[in-house]
């Protein structure tokens, strides 16, 4: 009973506007099952503008909803893997060499917060005298010529030096 006034309101909107792009609702079947459905519709009029019919299309969204939920769960799992990884992980924009994402291990390794690291770039975490070598290694990884750069000198926020193997894809 609740759905009938709602549908009536939507039909009035459809007739007035001439179309309804798409709206989602939950449809209750005779057996009581609730089904998410997406509806769209258009009004058919004669040459004088008189209403001669309405075309509505309903799409069962159950499979899409299942896929969306599976994607959400997958994203949560992958985010957890990145957060809990013991290795420092970063996403770097290869054009600007700026950090776009860093995981907590990367932050601990360098002594920066995530916000600080995503405001700086690759050049800021290496000694100035090593930048040409680091840049060449980075570019070789971007071109796919190599995946591992060995013993790159790195600088922590406090200025201490350490060496890291950087694997990239």
């Amino acid at each position: 009973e609740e759905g009938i006034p709602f549908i009536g309101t939507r039909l009035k909107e459809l007739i007035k506007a001439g179309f309804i792009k798409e709206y989602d609702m939950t449809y209750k079947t005779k057996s009581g099952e609730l089904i998410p459905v997406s509806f769209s519709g258009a009004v058919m009029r004669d040459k004088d503008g008189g209403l001669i019919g309405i075309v509505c299309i309903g799409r069962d969204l159950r499979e899409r909803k299942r896929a969306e939920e599976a994607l959400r769960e997958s994203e949560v799992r992958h985010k957890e893997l990145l957060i809990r990884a013991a290795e420092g992980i970063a996403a770097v924009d290869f054009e600007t060499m700026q950090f776009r994402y860093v995981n907590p291990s990367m932050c601990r390794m360098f002594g920066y917060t995530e916000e600080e690291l995503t405001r700086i770039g690759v050049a800021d975490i290496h000694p100035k005298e090593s930048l040409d070598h680091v840049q060449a290694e980075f570019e070789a990884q971007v071109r796919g010529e190599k995946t591992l750069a060995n013993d790159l000198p790195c600088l922590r926020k406090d200025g201490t030096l350490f060496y890291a193997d950087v694997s990239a894809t």
Side-chain angles (χ1 to χ4, degrees), residues 102-164:
V102 292
N103 73 342
S105 291
M106 181 86 167
C107 295
R108 284 190 298 276
M109 188 182 308
F110 283 91
Y112 289 96
T113 66
E114 180 181 354
E115 184 179 323
E116 288 171 326
L117 275 173
T118 54
R119 281 196 313 241
I120 64 176
V122 172
D124 300 305
I125 62 164
H126 297 283
K128 302 292 180 220
E129 63 274 8
S130 301
L131 285 180
D132 287 343
H133 172 66
V134 169
Q135 177 79 24
E137 293 291 294
F138 182 81
E139 288 174 1
Q141 288 177 322
V142 168
R143 289 190 304 270
E145 295 168 4
K146 64 183 337 183
T147 58
L148 183 64
N150 292 308
D151 295 322
L152 293 183
C154 300
L155 288 173
R156 292 185 180 94
K157 183 179 179 179
D158 67 7
T160 58
L161 181 70
F162 70 100
Y163 291 85

Side-chain angles (χ1 to χ4, degrees), residues 80-89 103-106 108:
E80 280 296 312
L81 286 171
L82 290 173
I83 289 170
R84 295 181 186 276
E87 296 80 15
I89 299 173
N103 73 342
S105 291
M106 181 86 167
R108 284 190 298 276

